[in-house]
Amino acid sequence: MEILVCIKQVPDPTVEVRIDPKTKNLVREGIVGVINPYDKNALEEAIRIKESQGGKVTVISMGPPQVKESLREALAMGADEAILLSDREFGGADTLATSYVLAQAIKKLGKVDIILFGKNAVDADTGQVGPIVAEKLGLPQITFASKISVDGNILLVDRHLEEATETIKVTLPAVITACKELNEPRYPNPLKIMKAARKEITVWGKTDIQVDAAKLGLKGSPTCVLEIFSPSKSTQVKILNGSPEEASQALFTVLREDKVI
């Protein structure tokens, strides 16, 4: 069983992030990067499938050289190989340009039975990359997986929805996106951390995969961020007096004035 997990390094959610006012991008210098939490659920599931079915788990990520730290953590958790897609031409990519590079890299890898993503990244929160990659590869996709059962080349997947659980059967190869309900990611032990530190991480740039330069980075991104800012912190408290009807109407007015609704 050939299993691929696409992970993203995101800023540590416990650390306050800064926004570059010119580029409208996150300032990543000096910020500790961690594996996107939902991607850890995807990786944990890949490792469990490997342990029960046999095979190999490969992790892949796109980003600057410091993403190697997250890839080594993935190796320490139990992945077998790691690939970093890193090139200045990839910088500034939106979800479409990112998905294009990932899809082209996956095509270079050849046969893959299961491709796993987290349901979304906690920094951008779009949930688009996994489904776009599936479309570009022409593969069936199941999103929001909360349980996966393997039977030969068949997967039985429970989808975690707001008010129900949907069960879908799919024939491999397929793309799956993982919810936190899928499992509890393991912690790597010290021995595996030391082994991961010595493992080689393959690095691919634009010349290593078959890509159209017009579809990379900012030029290949049909969407752009016009404005982004850190919300101001406020401790102001408003007391709404009157009857329940009067208070609810006053609350509605306040929310409208603050452009919440």
Side-chain angles (χ1 to χ4, degrees):
M1 183 82 69
E2 294 289 334
I3 309 168
L4 178 69
V5 185
C6 298
I7 68 172
K8 182 180 183 182
Q9 187 182 80
V10 298
D12 187 336
T14 65
V15 178
E16 185 175 356
V17 299
R18 294 179 292 117
I19 307 298
D20 187 317
K22 292 184 178 180
T23 65
K24 311 299 183 184
N25 291 327
L26 294 175
V27 177
R28 298 185 182 272
E29 289 76 14
I31 299 295
V32 176
V34 298
I35 298 176
N36 179 54
Y38 298 117
D39 296 350
K40 277 195 171 183
N41 295 112
L43 177 57
E44 173 64 28
E45 195 65 20
I47 296 167
R48 293 186 184 190
I49 293 172
K50 181 187 75 169
E51 291 171 343
S52 64
Q53 305 293 320
K56 182 177 73 174
V57 173
T58 301
V59 287
I60 189 169
S61 185
M62 189 177 93
Q66 55 263 37
V67 175
K68 285 184 178 181
E69 297 175 7
S70 292
L71 289 171
R72 291 200 186 281
E73 182 181 354
L75 291 170
M77 285 179 65
D80 300 291
E81 294 182 1
I83 300 170
L84 173 62
L85 305 174
S86 188
D87 195 298
R88 288 187 179 276
E89 292 291 320
F90 298 160
D94 68 358
T95 54
L96 186 65
T98 298
S99 301
Y100 171 69
V101 173
L102 286 171
Q104 294 305 107
I106 293 169
K107 289 177 182 178
K108 177 173 179 174
L109 285 172
K111 179 180 179 295
V112 178
D113 297 297
I114 305 174
I115 303 172
L116 285 157
F117 291 81
K119 73 179 184 71
N120 61 265
V122 296
D123 55 354
D125 204 31
T126 65
Q128 296 174 352
V129 174
I132 294 174
V133 168
E135 287 297 312
K136 287 187 175 297
L137 296 175
L139 296 177
Q141 58 176 286
I142 302 177
T143 55
F144 305 107
S146 58
K147 182 180 178 181
I148 299 176
S149 301
V150 183
D151 183 11
N153 70 331
I154 300 293
L155 293 185
L156 199 63
V157 182
D158 287 353
R159 296 186 69 227
H160 182 75
L161 306 178
E162 289 186 1
E163 298 181 356
T165 298
E166 180 181 43
T167 302
I168 298 178
K169 181 187 291 185
V170 64
T171 302
L172 299 179
V175 175
I176 311 293
T177 72
C179 289
K180 66 178 181 179
E181 291 81 7
L182 183 58
N183 54 50
E184 184 66 33
R186 69 191 67 190
Y187 289 96
N189 62 49
L191 179 59
K192 288 185 177 180
I193 292 174
M194 288 188 291
K195 287 183 177 179
R198 296 192 296 268
K199 278 194 173 183
E200 182 180 352
I201 293 177
T202 301
V203 180
W204 288 346
K206 67 175 184 178
T207 59
D208 298 300
I209 54 179
Q210 188 175 350
V211 292
D212 179 350
K215 296 181 179 180
L216 304 177
L218 287 171
K219 352 182 245 301
S221 300
T223 60
C224 63
V225 178
L226 296 179
E227 185 175 359
I228 187 169
F229 59 91
S230 298
S232 58
K233 297 180 180 179
S234 174
T235 56
Q236 183 180 4
V237 176
K238 295 182 180 180
I239 305 298
L240 304 177
N241 299 313
S243 67
E245 291 78 12
E246 293 170 336
S248 62
Q249 183 58 47
L251 176 61
F252 177 78
T253 301
V254 170
L255 294 176
R256 286 291 298 272
E257 290 175 350
D258 291 346
K259 298 182 179 180
V260 175
I261 57 175

